Amino acid sequence: MFSYCKTSKKAQAAKAAEPAKLAYKDGLHTVIMANCSPCHIPEKGGNKKAYDNYENANADIDEILRRIQLNPGDKG
């Protein structure tokens, strides 16, 4: 209805500029399962911190990303 109104265009531009939100189950869970299991999955992980939920994974996200980006022969 107000598609040619400046305010409407600004609102659309602001919404388009927002970063996409990533849900744990839709994206991060797949990465965790591919790169962090079985060590960080509760049923198999023993005493390691579980990354089976958003809160735990988010708390360590910098370390998770660092480790995923290592070359296969690198320590850590």
Side-chain angles (χ1 to χ4, degrees):
M1 179 171 171
F2 296 105
S3 62
Y4 295 103
C5 178
K6 287 183 180 182
T7 306
S8 179
K9 286 184 180 181
K10 286 180 184 177
Q12 289 175 352
K15 188 173 182 177
E18 292 178 7
K21 293 182 181 176
L22 178 65
Y24 177 82
K25 287 290 183 189
D26 293 337
L28 190 56
H29 179 71
T30 304
V31 174
I32 297 292
M33 291 303 291
N35 294 283
C36 305
S37 66
C39 300
H40 291 281
I41 304 303
E43 301 87 47
K44 303 171 187 172
N47 63 356
K48 300 224 181 216
K49 185 174 184 179
Y51 293 143
D52 62 341
N53 63 63
Y54 174 81
E55 290 77 23
N56 287 353
N58 188 51
D60 292 344
I61 195 65
D62 291 333
E63 182 64 13
I64 291 169
L65 291 173
R66 185 189 74 77
R67 287 181 173 220
I68 289 172
Q69 294 169 356
L70 287 173
N71 290 319
D74 291 347
K75 288 187 175 185

